[in-house]
Amino acid sequence: MNAPATTELPVVVIGAGPAGLAAAAHLLDQGIEPLVLEAGQGAGAAVREWSHVRLFSTWGEVVDPAAEKLLAPTGWTRPDPATYPSGGDWADLYLRPLADVLGDRARYGARVTGVSRSGRDRIVDADREQQPFVVHLTQADGREERIFARAVIDASGTWTAPSPAGGNGLAALGEKAAADRITYRVPDLKDPAVRARYAGKRTAVIGSGASAFTALAYLADLAKSDGGAGTKGVWILRRGISGSTFGGGEADQLPARGALGLAAKAAVDEGHADAVTGFRTEAIERDTDGRLILVGEDGRRLNAVDEVIVLTGFRPDLSFLNELRLGLDERLQAPVALAPLIDPNQHSCGTVYPHGHRELSHPEQGVYLVGMKSYGRAPTFLAMTGYEQVRSVAAAIAGDLASADRVELTLPETGVCGGAGLFDAPDTAQADGGGCCAPAPQLVQLGAPAAAGAATKQAPAGGCCDS
């Protein structure tokens, strides 16, 4: 079968998350047909896996303008722009309606297994740029299919590829064998089964970002609740504790983000968690009771724990892009031109420069990594960054380089930007209009997760960062 002319083809968007659906909306706004391929069974499948966690971002910052324009004829109205959605809210009240508007332009249970140029593997130069892309996918029933595309936007994120506990970037010895007692997600302690797993137990939390803060605060809150006596966290840090360990604190322009760090600090100060510093996990062993013993590269052996929560970040799955000529930074696995702008050793989310299609381009013209995936292993990502990325990319694909190059984005400064906020936090002080510049945060008191059947109070956690 000969490939059709490139101009007749859709742009394939991989992933029906916030960035992928926004990309589809911007392509339609440019008069270009998108085809969204999602491995999950519905829009926002990854977001739904952390539905219990509240974003730092307000509704005003997590709704894409082109998507809102597409939704308007349906009667959809954005929730109060000054309030803060949970992951579940974001999926139910925005992503699902947006996917419904796209209709047959979005396909689910369609896992992309490979992307290449039609008739050209990675080696072949001849007429390469004149060939359309070919996307191989596997459907939910196991059937294989190929689709031709004029361009490919990979917005598949990094959620399915969490980083391991091992301090060298590889799984620690014994980590896979201990999988029954390890999770790589912030636990939902409102779920009775999950709550029972951690209540009264000793749990190691490995990581130093906002997700680790959240887990520590949740465990501390559980320890103070009915039925939670004996719950103890062990915070494993690869570095020492310094002034920046708990984020921006009162200097953070995102009050909920600053409050989250203060809540983690309180967990340690109040004795609900012990901090172990300078510990790089080399092995995870079992004792005679089946509990886990973490062994450090320096030979230290920690007291046994019942559970381990590994929150050491995420990394991009590049396996299905192997036949494309990507230009990726050797450290971050982000596009070469973007990497120095987002290097977490140099930047918080507020010091990331505005960027668009030029920073996201690759030697393989017509392919773009956007959203969380564009950041590779860097954790400092914002929803509004992704929306501006896909606006610029869609304009570039349409040939409107003047619009594509006009990238303007102002991000909030200071603190650790990544992960998400606490779900059940009391109101934090907000600037008028839900902006990022707000009064200093106060310590978040979470309130114990409710026992099964009990009501819980839910209030915004605040901020501008998303997961």
Side-chain angles (χ1 to χ4, degrees), residues 435-454:
C436 294
C437 297
Q442 301 298 312
L443 176 62
V444 172
Q445 301 294 337
L446 297 178

Side-chain angles (χ1 to χ4, degrees), residues 81-435:
T83 61
Y84 304 87
S86 67
D89 296 335
W90 203 15
D92 287 336
L93 303 180
Y94 169 62
L95 300 179
R96 182 167 60 188
L98 179 55
D100 289 344
V101 172
L102 293 174
D104 292 341
R105 296 185 178 100
R107 292 179 53 183
Y108 306 103
R111 181 176 298 280
V112 174
T113 58
V115 182
S116 186
R117 290 280 190 178
S118 179
R120 305 290 187 274
D121 64 17
R122 184 171 179 158
I123 299 174
V124 178
D125 290 331
D127 298 324
R128 186 177 188 86
E129 293 181 6
Q130 283 68 54
Q131 305 306 313
F133 291 95
V134 60
V135 179
H136 285 217
L137 61 94
T138 301
Q139 300 178 34
D141 60 7
R143 288 182 296 131
E144 295 180 320
E145 184 180 350
R146 68 174 180 175
I147 294 171
F148 293 103
R150 62 185 288 185
V152 175
I153 299 175
D154 183 356
S156 59
T158 57
W159 179 253
T160 60
S163 296
N168 56 10
L170 303 175
L173 299 178
E175 183 172 346
K176 294 178 182 178
D180 60 317
R181 297 208 174 197
I182 299 176
T183 184
Y184 299 85
R185 307 287 189 257
V186 175
D188 180 4
L189 296 182
K190 286 187 175 61
D191 183 318
V194 176
R195 179 183 174 86
R197 176 174 176 175
Y198 296 97
K201 304 292 180 57
R202 181 177 169 87
T203 299
V205 178
I206 305 176
S208 59
S211 293
F213 294 168
T214 304
L216 289 166
Y218 277 7
L219 291 171
D221 201 60
L222 176 58
K224 293 180 282 188
S225 70
D226 293 339
T231 303
K232 183 78 170 184
V234 181
W235 188 17
I236 310 299
L237 290 153
R238 294 172 178 170
R239 292 171 290 187
I241 292 180
S242 67
S244 63
T245 297
F246 298 99
E250 294 184 359
D252 201 317
Q253 289 181 8
L254 304 184
R257 187 176 66 195
L260 177 57
L262 294 177
K265 185 176 187 300
V268 175
D269 291 345
E270 294 171 5
H272 298 300
D274 295 329
V276 179
T277 60
F279 190 92
R280 294 181 177 273
T281 307
E282 181 178 78
I284 299 177
E285 301 176 354
R286 289 187 188 266
D287 67 9
T288 55
D289 296 325
R291 302 174 80 205
L292 303 182
I293 298 173
L294 274 59
V295 182
E297 292 179 351
D298 58 3
R300 277 185 288 171
R301 300 172 64 87
L302 304 185
N303 291 334
V305 297
D306 300 287
E307 300 285 343
V308 177
I309 302 173
V310 180
L311 300 168
T312 54
F314 295 86
R315 53 189 58 178
D317 177 7
L318 302 168
S319 61
F320 58 87
L321 304 177
N322 280 342
E323 291 306 315
L324 296 177
R325 298 174 176 180
L326 302 182
L328 297 175
D329 178 74
E330 61 187 11
R331 293 179 303 132
L332 296 182
Q333 295 179 296
V336 170
L338 178 60
L341 307 183
I342 62 173
D343 185 343
N345 295 300
Q346 303 294 328
H347 298 284
S348 75
C349 61
T351 60
V352 174
Y353 295 101
H355 62 274
H357 75 106
R358 295 194 184 277
E359 291 81 5
L360 297 169
S361 64
H362 294 273
E364 193 80 72
Q365 295 184 23
V367 61
Y368 301 92
L369 278 58
V370 302
M372 275 296 300
K373 192 159 187 178
S374 72
Y375 271 39
R377 299 193 183 200
T380 54
F381 189 76
L382 299 170
M384 52 187 164
T385 299
Y387 295 156
E388 183 62 9
Q389 285 180 342
V390 297
R391 184 206 64 78
S392 175
V393 166
I397 293 173
D400 185 357
L401 294 184
S403 177
D405 287 337
R406 191 174 59 251
V407 180
E408 298 178 1
L409 184 63
T410 301
L411 301 176
E413 178 62 279
T414 77
V416 176
C417 182
L422 299 172
F423 187 84
D424 284 324
D427 292 339
T428 49
Q430 301 173 23
D432 292 341

